[in-house]
Amino acid sequence: NICFLVESAPLVDLQHRVCELLKTGERSLEEGLLDRLKHSSMKNRTFVDMRAVADAVVTMHQKMELPLFIPEVEETLCVELPGLVKAWNLERLQMECETEAGLQTLTRASSRVWDSVNNELSNRLFQWMQETISNLRQSRGMDKAQAEIGQWKKMALRAISVGLVAFAPEMKDKIISLFARCYDDCLGNPHFSQHADEIDRMLFQVAVIMGADRRTNPAEIRKAGTFSTKPALPRIG
C-alpha cells in the first residue's frame, strides 16, 4: 500500500521515493509527504542518525520544490536545535562542527535556523569563558585555566571555521574586560604577578578568536576593551 509507505517508511528511505510518488499525481500522497516533513524531529538522535535525517529533510524539500524550510519545519528546528546545542556534551558538539554533520546541513539551509543555533552556541561559549576567568580570579589556578582555555579555543575555532558561530561584539568586550580585571589583580598581588604575562597572552588569543581583532598587542586590547568605559581603538589593517 503506497499510503502506508508514505506514513511509515523512515525519512531516510522515503527521500528516494519522492519523485516516483509525486509522479502519480495523487494529492493524498503529496499531503502525506508534507505531513511527514512537518512532524520530523532531531531530538534524541545519534550523530549518524541526525546526519542522515537532516540530509533526508533537505532532500525532500528540494525534490518537492519547497522553500528551505517550510514554516512548520523551520519553527521546529528553531526550537529543537538550540536546546540540543545547550544539552550536548563537548564531544558531540565538536562532532556537529564537522562539515557534513546534521547540524551543519540544517543551518546552511536556513538563515533563521542558523541564527537560532548561533545565539545558543555563542552564548554557551561566552558563558564557558566567563566562568573560566571568574574561577581563575578566585582560585589563581593557572594550570587549570590554561587547560580550560585550550579546550575552549579548540571548540570555538572548529565552530568558527565551518561558519557555525559568530560572537556579538559585546560578548568579546565583556570577556576582554574580565581578563583585564584578572590582569590587574595579578599585578596587585606580589605572589601572582608572574602570571600577568600569561594572562595577557591568553587575553590576546581569546580576543582574536572572538572578534578577529587586529590590534598589535594585548595591552592595547586590554585598554580598549574595558567594558562600557572606553571606546574601542581603531582597527589596524
Side-chain angles (χ1 to χ4, degrees), residues 42 46-55 58 69 77-78 80-86 88 92-110 113-114 116-118 120-121 155 159 162-165:
M42 299 299 151
T46 65
F47 172 75
V48 173
D49 188 29
M50 180 169 164
R51 180 174 59 187
V53 173
D55 284 339
V58 170
F69 293 101
L77 292 174
C78 287
E80 288 186 353
L81 294 182
L84 292 173
V85 167
K86 185 175 183 178
W88 281 330
R92 176 64 184 270
L93 202 56
Q94 288 175 335
M95 291 172 68
E96 292 295 338
C97 288
E98 294 178 7
T99 305
E100 302 303 322
L103 187 64
Q104 275 286 89
T105 297
L106 298 169
T107 54
R108 281 198 304 264
S110 163
V113 173
W114 181 87
S116 69
V117 169
N118 174 63
E120 184 59 50
L121 182 52
M155 180 67 242
V162 294
L164 200 56
V165 70

Side-chain angles (χ1 to χ4, degrees), residues 18-36:
V18 170
C19 293
E20 172 192 342
L21 294 169
L22 292 177
K23 283 180 181 179
T24 65
E26 291 287 339
R27 181 65 181 170
S28 61
L29 296 181
E30 183 178 351
E31 290 176 349
L33 291 170
L34 279 171
D35 192 61
R36 290 297 307 278

Side-chain angles (χ1 to χ4, degrees), residues 62-80:
Q62 293 169 336
K63 289 184 176 180
M64 296 176 71
E65 298 183 353
L66 299 170
L68 285 166
F69 293 101
I70 58 174
E72 295 87 346
V73 172
E74 191 168 65
E75 186 63 34
T76 297
L77 292 174
C78 287
V79 172
E80 288 186 353

